[in-house]
Amino acid sequence: MDWSFQNAVVFFFSDRSRSSGVKASVKMRNGELPKSLLVCGSAIRKNGNANNLVVGPLLKNLYSSSSVCVSGRAQDVSFDGNFSEEQLVDSTAVSGLNLKLLSGSCYLPHPDKEETGGEDAHFICEDEQAIGIADGVGGWADVGVNAGLFSRELMSHSVNAIQEECNGSIDPSRVLEKAHANMKARGSSTACIIALKSEGLHAINLGDSGFMVVRDGCTIFESPVQQHGFNFTYQLESGNGGDLPSSGQVFTIPVAPGDVIIAGTDGLFDNLYNNEVTAVVVHAIRTGLGPEATAQKIAALARQRALDTNRQTPFSTAAQDAGYRYYGGKLDDITVVVSYVTNSANI
Ligand SMILES: [Mn+2]
């Protein structure tokens, strides 16, 4: 099989606190409420806790089953607002050209945890035209559980489920359901699975990993973040704990040759704004870089921002909105998967 599974070994970081339950919310990365999504409750809740000055890094909250407002049903989102009928027709016409994804990735574990590899995991299924990303929730280290094992197992099961699907009709939701049903490891993780089909990208995203699509130097799509509260992502857990795959958001996005998909964990999207990612992509394409080299460039810039203690980042903005005094980037595992959408006749 011509797929590669990125083996992320494991490390931990301790969880700052177990979050109290808050209403489910959906928030765009840029801080705006999504226009075409069902929004449950408010956006990020102000944190009323006394511990408002954060000295160390803010770390992702564990799911606390006793205090969670589980979201409702899966939300089918097709981004009608972004695509005119004409574009949809064009894209369908283009699909006759047999689109293909050319993918490459870069993974930079948290610098303190390079030896054990961190908690992100991802895969690229070249033959099946699918990619996936998972970010194990680090708070599990407090109870002696390595969430890196969970994210790796989730991605491994996803690859197996993809290979059971009929070629060309991979359903990312079904893949995630199957993968989740087979989970044995303790822990929890975000998940994002994207497959290219004849009519465009099909994807499911649960939690604060995600992906964006760049066309002609513009961001034409970004998946919204799903979190229960600030730094408290939606997450899959074994069995019926945590959020369920049905809470993931499902997307169908028409794409065309020349489009670039950038998928990543929050180590990417907490540190770089969309326009920064897009600028790197545009420069990379202009200089003829392949998807792996582009992923490396994006990851390197995200790491640079993560280490910056002054610059405003998406994460520091979200932290400040939540009532924390926090500046700079957020040091975390950084996973970037870049896929070029090509006409297979050109390969
Ligand atoms: Mn992360």
Side-chain angles (χ1 to χ4, degrees), residues 60 120 135 265-267 330 332-333:
K60 203 177 284 183
D120 285 1
D135 181 350
T265 52
D266 63 342
K330 188 188 80 170
D332 193 0
D333 304 326

Side-chain angles (χ1 to χ4, degrees), residues 136-156:
V137 175
W140 282 92
D142 285 357
V143 290
V145 171
N146 182 344
L149 295 174
F150 188 97
S151 63
R152 288 157 53 192
E153 189 188 336
L154 185 67
M155 292 292 92
S156 181

Side-chain angles (χ1 to χ4, degrees), residues 53-66:
L53 176 60
V54 180
V55 180
L58 281 167
L59 299 167
K60 203 177 284 183
N61 290 315
L62 259 188
Y63 207 112
S64 166
S65 56
S66 62

Side-chain angles (χ1 to χ4, degrees), residues 330-342:
K330 188 188 80 170
L331 206 45
D332 193 0
D333 304 326
I334 296 168
T335 298
V336 182
V337 179
V338 169
S339 299
Y340 293 173
V341 179
T342 64

Side-chain angles (χ1 to χ4, degrees), residues 115-152:
E115 283 183 20
T116 49
E119 288 145 352
D120 285 1
H122 71 276
F123 67 81
I124 295 170
C125 289
E126 193 81 43
D127 286 353
E128 293 83 1
Q129 297 286 287
I131 61 174
I133 285 188
D135 181 350
V137 175
W140 282 92
D142 285 357
V143 290
V145 171
N146 182 344
L149 295 174
F150 188 97
S151 63
R152 288 157 53 192

